[in-house]
Amino acid sequence: MPVIRAPHDFNEGSLFVDLESIFGYRLYLKCEGFNFAGSIKLKAANEMVESAERDGSLRPDSILVESSSGNLGVALSMIAASKGYRFLCVTDPRCNLSTRLLIEALGSQVHVVADLDSNGGFLGTRLDYVRALCASDDRYVWLSQYTNPGNWRAHYRTTAPEIASNFPQLDVLFVGAGTAGTLMGCARWFRKWRRPVRIVAVDSVGSVAFGGKPGRRMIPGLGMSMRPPLLDESYVDEVIRVEEADTIHTCHRLARRGFLFGGSTGTVVSAATDWLARHDTRDVTAVAIAPDLGERYLDTVYQTNWLQDLYGDQMVESIRVDSPWEENSAVRPSGRRRRS
């Protein structure tokens, strides 16, 4: 029986879902949402905080500050509450309401920037606000997940070895790219492993992480409006960009089978199934990383009005077609009969 004293001491790292019965391909999904922060970001947050404590930059009177689209903010809020630090999360309007409320429930503060940056995103605005804050008061300590090597070291030490120990014959690994911490930590570790592993980075259409033109992105998590400073593309074998419509359809398809995952997971699984559909996978062992679960996306990815406002009636109707109520029953949930 595990007994812990601090919330960050628990993190289930060896839970995988076999997705073959849902998508028809041998794909194993590594679930990173089973900890008290609810996401893979707990690993990076813990590594960066402990590193700052060791080097003396984080003191008892320090105020942690970080730019986050959501999950890292929750993880840092939890660790700050546990260790007695104050924390300010700088985010933007795309951050889910439930995530902002959770950060505040843990005793931290949230600042939401409203102005777009030159790339049409909010990241540049968020970073400018953090820099100005740190310049105004030396009590603020910015961990900078975008440049902090602790971000990728956390996954070099934990995530990659966890995958390797469960799948010693791994052939291909699908990893979503945001700050590139998870991607680079896993890619660096597997580069030194005893057998070659194909590293496929997954990005959102509209992100400029791997180049290209910026575009609208409404689902937080993956993608960047600038090139991630941690990214070294020499470790990446292939990049797949996923449309948000495909992300949403994949999330709902998983939910129809009882697995409620977040938007980032929908993006990664969509890319993985696309890759597997284009390759001979009879003897391929494939793993994808699911950064979080889906509860924090109930007011976005899984909310009909949100989908309708952003993507139109066609998106809502296409999801409705996939519903078991539509496929297997003559009666809709409202009690109205389907027209023949």
Side-chain angles (χ1 to χ4, degrees), residues 13 15-17 19 27-33 39-41 43 155-156 158-164 170 172-177 181-187 190 199-200 202 222 261-270 272 286-293:
L15 179 63
F16 294 79
V17 176
L19 297 180
L27 175 65
Y28 300 94
L29 189 62
K30 187 180 193 306
C31 301
E32 290 282 353
S39 82
I40 196 171
K41 289 294 188 178
K43 292 176 173 178
H155 303 288
Y156 187 94
T158 61
T159 309
E162 289 165 358
I163 295 170
L170 180 67
V172 57
L173 178 64
F174 300 93
V175 190
T182 307
L183 174 64
M184 296 313 303
C186 290
F190 280 109
I199 301 297
V200 180
V202 180
L222 299 188
F261 284 106
S264 298
T265 299
T267 304
V268 174
V269 173
S270 178
V287 170
I289 297 177
D292 60 6
L293 300 177

Side-chain angles (χ1 to χ4, degrees), residues 248-249 252-253 256 303-305 307-308 312-328 332-334 336 338:
I248 293 164
H249 278 289
H252 282 262
R253 188 170 178 182
R256 297 288 185 252
Q303 216 281 328
T304 300
N305 291 339
L307 293 174
Q308 193 170 36
D313 293 337
Q314 187 175 359
M315 170 66 76
V316 175
E317 288 301 317
S318 64
I319 291 172
R320 189 171 293 156
V321 166
D322 294 332
S323 169
W325 285 95
E326 294 293 323
E327 292 180 347
N328 302 322
R332 295 186 179 183
S334 64
R336 295 179 296 171
R338 293 175 59 184

Side-chain angles (χ1 to χ4, degrees), residues 122-293:
F122 292 97
L123 180 56
T125 309
R126 282 168 22 196
L127 297 183
D128 287 343
Y129 184 86
V130 172
R131 292 188 186 99
L133 203 62
C134 292
S136 69
D137 190 333
D138 61 8
R139 290 178 300 167
Y140 285 101
V141 175
W142 180 23
L143 297 175
S144 184
Q145 61 167 322
Y146 310 100
T147 59
N148 194 322
N151 189 347
W152 67 262
R153 278 201 309 264
H155 303 288
Y156 187 94
R157 291 194 308 103
T158 61
T159 309
E162 289 165 358
I163 295 170
S165 66
N166 286 278
F167 295 92
Q169 300 302 313
L170 180 67
D171 295 299
V172 57
L173 178 64
F174 300 93
V175 190
T179 63
T182 307
L183 174 64
M184 296 313 303
C186 290
R188 283 189 166 96
W189 196 92
F190 280 109
R191 176 66 63 88
K192 298 180 179 180
W193 204 31
R194 59 177 175 80
R195 59 179 279 126
V197 173
R198 186 168 186 82
I199 301 297
V200 180
V202 180
D203 198 11
S204 301
V205 170
S207 164
V208 299
F210 294 90
K213 294 181 179 180
R216 187 185 77 161
R217 292 180 295 113
M218 300 307 300
I219 301 174
L222 299 188
M224 292 271 280
S225 56
M226 68 177 191
R227 181 180 174 83
L230 295 177
L231 178 62
D232 183 344
E233 290 190 62
S234 68
Y235 288 91
V236 177
D237 296 298
E238 187 175 348
V239 179
I240 298 178
R241 294 176 174 87
V242 177
E243 295 278 0
E244 287 193 337
D246 294 325
T247 293
I248 293 164
H249 278 289
T250 302
C251 284
H252 282 262
R253 188 170 178 182
L254 286 163
R256 297 288 185 252
R257 300 298 294 271
F259 292 107
L260 194 72
F261 284 106
S264 298
T265 299
T267 304
V268 174
V269 173
S270 178
T273 54
D274 172 72
W275 189 95
L276 293 168
R278 293 184 283 104
H279 293 79
D280 181 359
T281 60
R282 284 172 292 182
D283 299 315
V284 170
T285 298
V287 170
I289 297 177
D292 60 6
L293 300 177

